[in-house]
Amino acid sequence: MKISELLKKQMTFSFEVFPPKKDKPMEPLTETLNELARFKPDYISCTYGAGGTNVGRSKETCKAIMDVGRNVMTHFTCIGSSREEATKKIGEYKEMGVDNVMALRGDLPEGWKDTQGYFLHADRLIAHIKDKFPDICIGAACYPEKHISAVSKEADIAHLRSKQDNGAEFFMTQLCYDAQEYERFREKLKKAGVTVPVIVGIMPVLFKDGLIRMTLSNGCSIPSDLADIIGKYGDDPDDFKKAGKEYTIKLMYKYMNMGIDGIHIYSLNKYKDLAEIINDSGIRGVF
Ligand code: FAD
């Protein structure tokens, strides 16, 4: 089912997983998917390696998501891809029954100046998918605190408008712990004529080092209440996780109270901590 159709009816609730490496077994992920499926997410998305590395495992993961009875979205990156390759690969997903594609450029590998493929940016990939597969629902990435390499917030938002104009039916955000920053971003989107739904991506606060690495590498800020948790509990992984789970639940409610269109949880392929967060939050019943 198309995510755009779901978004017309409700605030969506979903998870992201990533495929296991080629030489690793599928079983741990299958177990995670079985557990995540109990929360009846509206869909589960599967990430895609920039440059299409590990595409076999990405497809296996999409199939495993469908096998646990959930709707699926694949991510797709256009780094190094010709038009023909993109058409072929997306066609293969379509044949498997995947109706939703998150269309991305992908992170440029170290030392690359551009994608070394036909599509230099996601907006052109989106136009191509829309042309070749008008039935596919296309999502696109957005960055409330600006994409790390964008020259300005305004320029970044202008490119989002171009993704919408080329066929993106919804946006999904990069992690953003600062809900006020998101609110400002939302106002700017409105002014720029971006009207499609925006789904907020939530990275649960579980591990100090991972949190710092992810925020820094993506140019995202750490608001003072989160910095307090790092300061107080940073040396104790258990206490940090406990405080981080409470923080994550509060953040989810902050966003929901703002009337957002959907919540997408970056599961990091872990379900035990995530199940506790979702159960404690009460937003999806208790399992
Ligand atoms: P673009 O939209 O092309 O933007 C990249 C930069 O170029 C931005 O600074 C933008 O302002 C600028 N720009 C955009 N359009 C133009 C234009 N027409 N002319 C000039 N400049 C332009 N990465 C993966 O490898 N695999 C994944 O599965 C994956 N999933 C993601 C899911 C989400 C929700 C998000 C937010 C990110 C994800 N990423 C993933 C990371 C993403 O690939 C990187 O952030 C990448 O650097 C940018 O991708 P994009 O699609 O936003 O690119």
Side-chain angles (χ1 to χ4, degrees):
M1 176 163 199
K2 288 187 184 187
I3 293 169
S4 52
E5 292 302 318
L6 292 168
L7 284 163
K8 281 181 198 157
K9 292 188 257 174
Q10 70 215 46
M11 190 199 85
T12 58
F13 176 76
S14 52
F15 296 114
E16 175 184 292
V17 296
F18 56 84
K21 292 207 170 78
K22 268 185 210 143
D23 56 342
K24 297 280 184 229
M26 275 298 280
E27 284 68 31
L29 178 59
T30 317
E31 192 184 338
T32 293
L33 289 174
N34 272 308
E35 294 297 326
L36 296 182
R38 283 149 46 111
F39 292 102
K40 299 197 172 23
D42 297 304
Y43 60 95
I44 300 178
S45 81
C46 172
T47 63
Y48 192 90
T53 49
N54 209 12
V55 62
R57 272 294 155 93
S58 296
K59 281 193 194 147
E60 253 183 274
T61 303
C62 286
K63 180 163 181 316
I65 293 169
M66 291 190 272
D67 287 347
V68 295
R70 302 324 297 169
N71 198 20
V72 64
M73 170 166 78
T74 186
H75 297 203
F76 183 82
T77 59
C78 61
I79 294 237
S81 190
S82 68
R83 290 173 73 176
E84 295 68 29
E85 280 160 354
T87 310
K88 181 171 173 287
K89 286 177 183 163
I90 291 166
E92 286 166 5
Y93 277 105
K94 182 86 187 99
E95 261 172 43
M96 285 171 61
V98 177
D99 293 329
N100 304 289
V101 173
M102 163 70 42
L104 301 147
R105 182 193 71 179
D107 280 325
L108 299 179
E110 187 99 22
W112 288 30
K113 288 204 167 55
D114 63 38
T115 59
Q116 302 193 12
Y118 180 78
F119 310 98
L120 294 183
H121 286 286
D123 56 351
R124 298 307 306 159
L125 171 69
I126 290 165
H128 180 73
I129 300 174
K130 190 79 195 160
D131 178 42
K132 297 286 175 198
F133 303 98
D135 290 347
I136 282 184
C137 169
I138 307 169
C142 69
Y143 306 85
E145 298 180 83
K146 171 180 109 44
H147 182 262
I148 192 150
S149 67
V151 291
S152 67
K153 285 187 178 173
E154 289 65 32
D156 205 28
I157 287 177
H159 296 134
L160 298 182
R161 174 65 200 262
S162 146
K163 293 189 199 188
Q164 172 185 280
D165 292 349
N166 287 0
E169 290 173 76
F170 65 90
F171 283 107
M172 185 176 280
T173 73
Q174 173 71 276
L175 63 94
C176 179
Y177 292 116
D178 188 339
Q180 281 177 335
E181 191 63 38
Y182 176 76
E183 186 64 73
R184 287 190 282 274
F185 171 69
R186 195 155 72 161
E187 285 305 310
K188 287 194 176 121
L189 287 182
K190 217 189 273 174
K191 281 197 188 123
V194 175
T195 53
V196 297
V198 181
I199 295 167
V200 173
I202 304 262
M203 179 73 74
V205 176
L206 295 172
F207 308 101
K208 182 188 76 173
D209 292 348
L211 166 80
I212 294 173
R213 197 176 49 246
M214 285 299 291
T215 45
L216 289 186
S217 64
N218 288 300
C220 303
S221 55
I222 297 183
S224 60
D225 50 355
L226 185 51
D228 280 351
I229 291 178
I230 297 173
K232 266 193 207 151
Y233 307 112
D235 293 333
D236 184 326
D238 290 338
D239 284 353
F240 181 83
K241 200 181 258 189
K242 187 168 174 282
K245 283 177 183 170
E246 284 167 15
Y247 184 89
T248 307
I249 293 171
K250 277 194 200 137
L251 184 67
M252 281 159 49
Y253 274 100
K254 246 188 225 173
Y255 275 122
M256 286 192 297
N257 290 336
M258 287 165 69
I260 57 164
D261 298 296
I263 279 197
H264 189 66
I265 301 190
Y266 299 123
S267 80
L268 305 171
N269 289 13
K270 305 202 180 305
Y271 67 84
K272 288 196 180 109
D273 291 323
L274 212 56
E276 230 176 273
I277 289 173
I278 296 160
N279 280 333
D280 289 353
S281 75
I283 63 172
R284 214 59 185 176
V286 177
F287 293 90

